[in-house]
Amino acid sequence: MGKNISVKVSGQAKISLIIPAYNAEKYLCEALESAIHQSLTNIEILVVDDCSTDSTPEILESYRRIDRRIRILRNEKNEGIYTSRHNAVSVASGEYIMFLDADDYLELDACEALAEEMDRGQWDFICFNTETFEGENMTPADIQTLNDYLTVTALTAKGKQGIAVQSLISGVFPWNVWNKIYTGSLIRRIFSHHKGERLQMAEDFTLTSMAVSYAESFALDERKFYHYRLGSGMSTGSFSIAEKDLERFANIGRVYILLEKWIPEAGLKKEESTKLLQFAHEHTIPDMLYAWAYRVPDYLQKKFLSLMLAYLDMDVLTEEFVDWAFEKHNMHPVEAEYLYSRTIPASPRRQIRTVAMFYHRMYNGGVEKVMSTLTPILLRIGYRVIIITEAGATVEDYPIPDGVRHLRLMSHGDAPAERFEEWRKIIERFSVDAVLYHAFMSLNMPIDGISIRSMQLPLILHSHTDFLFIFQTPTYGNFNWFEQHKIYSAFHVAAVLSEVDLAWCKAIGINAVQVCNPMCYKLDDCKPSRLNSKDVVWVGRLSYEKQYLDAFEIAKLVQLKVPDFKLHIVGQAETDEEFDRIKELLVQEGISDFVILEGFHLDVTPFYENASIFLMTSLYEGFPLVLQEAKCYGLPIVSYEIPNLTMLRLPDSGVSVVPQRDLKAAADRIVELLENDALRQSEGKKSRNSLSQFYKEDLEETWKSIIEVRSQEYYEPCALYQDEPIATAVRMAMQNIAVWAKNSAAQASTASPDISVSHAATFSNPQLLDSYRAEAAEYHRRKVILQRIFRPVREFLLKLRSIFRK
């Protein structure tokens, strides 16, 4: 500490140096030493003690005794840096005002040099350069990044209000308060309008935004007058935000609200005011959302949301979140949906009159046909039904009853804000009360989930696949299916197709109910096939999971023994070009005479009536309608082994199950059925008769329960990752997949080399397994809550790999 300094301030102080201090004992002496030893003696030093609980008050008193220019102000309660500065400005007498943080210090000639420059240029403020030095836990890279931001190049500007606005927006100078000297009149003018406001975050940004609003001139000085200690400031600390600090970070929303009010008061031109408000928006709201997404622990996110809602209502918050998460911040869509769905409050109870069903389209697929058959069921319950698709209505659509509106959702995930707004308009215009979402693999699921939940609607998932899909196809687009608990977390309830799916959903915290798909035909309306032809029919979308290339190879083997055999492929590829390439492949392979591409047909009845066998080569299925249809027409069925598919395991089902990708076994069974009339007729009768139990289920009551009861009873997700349910789900998965895995590995040698796509051996690739485990480890690191899900999954994958290696 220096000697007693008997310096008097003669008349008005040239500079009022304002130092807010809260628990600043570690560095406060260094800041005060740089203040009292300024070469310009005609200054006043206003230190505001913000209710410090350390030795800060004693340090201040000791310095006040040696330098009469120091004036100590004490807040009655802890107010934060903005209010502390305000209190000091209200009593400051200086012609100019500077701010110094209690953990930094000034060059000893700073006040003198800057006062001379202000006198000479008559500037409203001068921004000068800063020397950044390492504080606690900071790296040289951190320092360099901040130095790059804080550095200014010599520049002067004068002449009109608003001249500083564009410079701030353009990054000509930074928005920090402490690297500037201001006219006292400018700072007093700002604070005189804003009495009683208590800001806890973004204080520098707020003050600078107001200063540039009023300023008519400024200068940039390249000299380094300020020494900034990076990493030790009052507002720095752990990346994770503690519960005691939640209010402070949520207060960022208050900053923007105040700037919306204050900036227009400055009298800027409308264009300048609009640009500055947009700049303020970009530097406040995203910070609050970033804290919510990444810095607030999971268990505090709901509390933080309630604090944010003190400043932004739910509609505004949701729109801001969509804009920030998807378009501005490029937040991972799964993470965005998970955050939103786990945090946003439960929907209110409401009477459900209108149900909207959503999928990509209404043609060329099993999901689309389920929607077509489910629509009349929902109408009979008494709901008004709306169909929403991305493709819109086409002539190839499966039929829907008269009076059912078919709407198009135009936007895709690459324009999330537009898609959000489209959902909102449709829901409001057509008074939608609940949404039944069939696009269970959609990459747009996160934005759709957020959009629908923001309207406080029950959101119901209809999952059309088997849960083992996540192990057979671990990644799809940008989704990793080991994150299924996040992907589906936006839904209040899921309708699933098997017991193992039900167990899995409950294990990962998704409320679920088991259903079967509605029967496409009335049994009495279906005339059984006479089974007197050599025709085999394969029906489905020409996509990789249907493994239609296997059907071609099986046909080659059958035709060698049954020359007049024909395979009818009924279905369409995703594009006409792809369909044409498949046609060319048949010609190149010399099988186009007996493998016939029929294309897509709304009415497949003639193909079932004329066929003698139905062939299914899918890698996975949920509850395939084509299997129902084939059974309705009494066709014997030859199918690959598919875990969890109930219709393949019924007693006397008329289904011949062969191992996945066992081409020879499938061909041999088809040949046997084609050559043995009695066997074919017997298996056909079994196939049709086995359907009877599916016609007994009361689907109207089931779906009413799902929509009316489940969606209202279980808004809050159940506890995640209960040890026993997850263990049960994995055990069930192991039991169901073991046979499939073993058979797939055993039959690998029989697979034709001509088949270009193989999925059965996905998990025989150790590098792929290592990749999935690495992803799981990364998610575990980022989200502790995932611990209970990934450990059994990783163990499960290791077991799978050992099965294949055997």
Side-chain angles (χ1 to χ4, degrees), residues 305-320:
L305 170 69
S306 66
L307 295 172
M308 289 193 294
L309 291 175
Y311 308 113
L312 302 174
D313 63 37
M314 183 63 74
D315 288 345
V316 173
L317 177 70
T318 303
E319 289 178 7
E320 295 285 355

Side-chain angles (χ1 to χ4, degrees), residues 386-444:
I386 293 172
I387 303 292
I388 303 172
T389 63
E390 291 166 326
T394 73
V395 295
E396 295 181 329
D397 287 355
Y398 288 110
I400 57 177
D402 292 340
V404 174
R405 297 289 299 268
H406 186 165
L407 308 175
R408 184 178 183 186
L409 194 69
M410 299 285 289
S411 299
H412 292 267
D414 55 355
E418 294 178 17
R419 191 175 177 94
F420 174 86
E421 192 57 33
E422 279 195 76
W423 271 112
R424 175 169 298 215
K425 288 179 180 178
I426 288 175
I427 288 169
E428 290 179 344
R429 180 180 176 187
F430 295 95
S431 301
V432 174
D433 301 306
V435 175
L436 179 53
Y437 198 90
H438 292 268
F440 63 99
M441 293 194 306
S442 173
L443 297 178
N444 295 319

Side-chain angles (χ1 to χ4, degrees), residues 577-588:
E577 292 78 9
E578 186 178 352
F579 191 73
D580 290 339
R581 284 196 297 270
I582 296 171
K583 283 183 179 179
E584 293 174 5
L585 174 64
L586 295 181
V587 174
Q588 293 169 6

Side-chain angles (χ1 to χ4, degrees), residues 328-339:
K328 299 291 178 60
H329 192 66
N330 295 320
M331 188 180 186
H332 194 289
V334 175
E335 295 284 352
E337 182 183 40
Y338 184 69
L339 170 65

Side-chain angles (χ1 to χ4, degrees), residues 621-787:
E621 292 283 355
F623 196 96
L625 296 180
V626 291
L627 209 55
Q628 297 178 28
E629 295 167 357
K631 284 177 171 288
C632 282
Y633 287 94
L635 295 182
I637 293 163
V638 177
S639 173
Y640 280 173
E641 168 68 30
I642 300 175
N644 301 328
L645 196 54
T646 304
M647 280 191 286
L648 297 185
R649 288 166 176 72
L650 296 172
D652 297 323
S653 65
V655 180
S656 300
V657 178
V658 300
Q660 274 283 332
R661 310 216 62 224
D662 190 338
L663 309 177
K664 186 177 182 301
D668 288 348
R669 184 56 175 171
I670 291 173
V671 170
E672 183 181 11
L673 287 166
L674 290 176
E675 293 183 338
N676 189 327
D677 293 344
L679 177 64
R680 189 170 65 252
Q681 294 291 337
S682 172
E683 290 298 295
K685 288 180 181 178
K686 291 178 183 178
S687 179
R688 181 176 167 93
N689 292 339
S690 67
L691 271 184
S692 58
Q693 66 170 303
F694 293 100
Y695 284 92
K696 295 177 182 178
E697 183 165 344
D698 189 346
L699 288 180
E700 292 181 21
E701 186 61 33
T702 300
W703 276 105
K704 185 175 182 180
S705 172
I706 291 171
I707 295 172
E708 294 283 354
V709 179
R710 296 280 179 164
S711 63
Q712 294 184 9
E713 184 179 354
Y714 297 113
Y715 282 131
E716 290 297 319
C718 63
L720 291 175
Y721 321 128
Q722 300 285 336
D723 290 338
E724 181 56 28
I726 189 66
T728 300
V730 173
R731 282 198 301 271
M732 293 180 72
M734 287 295 296
Q735 292 167 3
N736 279 269
I737 205 171
V739 174
W740 165 80
K742 183 177 180 181
N743 289 340
S744 297
Q747 295 300 327
S749 61
T750 67
S752 168
D754 297 332
I755 296 177
S756 59
V757 181
S758 173
H759 299 278
T762 297
F763 287 100
S764 64
N765 184 339
Q767 292 181 340
L768 193 59
L769 278 173
D770 290 341
S771 172
Y772 299 146
R773 286 199 298 272
E775 289 183 26
E778 172 63 13
Y779 291 126
H780 169 78
R781 184 188 67 79
R782 293 172 57 197
K783 294 284 186 178
V784 176
I785 199 171
L786 298 182
Q787 180 178 1

